[in-house]
């Protein structure tokens, strides 16, 4: 556990020491803020909900998860520090989990900065707190799953751009699998929707915490973290 926390702190420190993290955060806040205010202006300010923010944030989380994770392993492979890391007495699973937690802390900080939106609504109106809280829970779970997929993508290549493209392809492909499931007939459509990232997020938006959604996102994250560990193990023998 100590090694995991050391690696997580190191990764978080790397994020905070890089201008890229602040640029990504600023763009995330600007885009979510724009969608938040645009939605309220369109439906009238009597609608005290964060639906506009959530509608944008769910897609932005997919995008920025790929951006945040693209350097985690790829950059170390490129600059030559990856081989050094593999020689220290740290298990592969500790490396993967530590890097994942560092990225998760960064994404959590980005989401916490958006709490200004519900706080503002509570200051000027009487919004329903339930859907707001579950929407943030859904975004956190979705973000964790996306970051795990991003760690895996970063572990299979030494090119950051390739890592971001692979992660984005996986995440957006699985998100729109739900749309494809809606077009497919019968049981085929049900099976496709079952594996879609978007299927379970809708309940969180409506204020429902479905254990199937929680289990899906946690299992999704664990699967890709496991694949990341396996990818590193395979790389040791090359």
């Amino acid at each position: 556990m100590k090694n995991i926390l050391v690696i997580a702190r190191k990764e978080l420190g790397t994020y905070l020491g890089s201008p890229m993290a602040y640029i990504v955060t600023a763009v995330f806040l600007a885009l979510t803020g724009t969608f938040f205010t645009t939605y309220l202006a369109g439906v009238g300010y009597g609608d005290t909900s964060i639906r506009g923010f959530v509608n944008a944030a769910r897609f932005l989380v997919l995008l920025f998860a790929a951006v945040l994770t693209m350097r985690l392993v790829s950059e170390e492979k490129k600059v030559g520090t990856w081989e050094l890391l593999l020689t220290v007495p740290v298990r592969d699973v500790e490396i993967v989990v530590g890097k994942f937690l560092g990225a998760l802390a960064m994404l959590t900080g980005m989401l916490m900065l958006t709490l200004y939106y519900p706080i503002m609504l509570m200051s000027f109106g009487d919004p329903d707190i339930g859907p707001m809280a579950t929407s943030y829970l859904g975004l956190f779970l979705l973000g964790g799953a996306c970051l795990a997929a991003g760690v895996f993508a970063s572990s299979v290549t030494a090119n950051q751009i390739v890592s971001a493209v692979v992660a984005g392809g996986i995440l957006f492909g699985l998100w729109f699998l739900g749309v494809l499931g809606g077009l497919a007939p019968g049981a085929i459509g049900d099976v496709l929707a079952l594996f879609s990232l978007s299927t379970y997020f809708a309940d969180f938006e409506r204020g429902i915490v479905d254990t199937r959604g929680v289990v899906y996102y946690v299992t999704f994250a664990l699967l890709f973290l496991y694949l990341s560990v396996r990818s590193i193990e395979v790389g040791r023998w090359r």
Side-chain angles (χ1 to χ4, degrees), residues 23 26 32 34 43-44 47-48 57 67 73 79 82 91 96 101 117 132 139 152 159-160 199 211 221 226 235:
I23 294 173
T32 55
T34 299
V43 300
D47 183 353
T48 53
V67 173
V73 179
V79 301
W82 181 245
R91 293 182 298 169
V96 169
L101 291 179
Y117 308 141
M132 290 185 181
L139 288 173
F152 168 70
N159 189 302
Q160 295 186 46
T199 299
T211 54
Y226 170 76

Side-chain angles (χ1 to χ4, degrees), residues 174-195:
L174 288 174
W175 181 272
F176 288 106
L177 196 63
V179 177
L180 184 60
L183 299 175
I188 296 177
D190 294 337
V191 171
L192 291 176
L194 188 65
F195 292 97

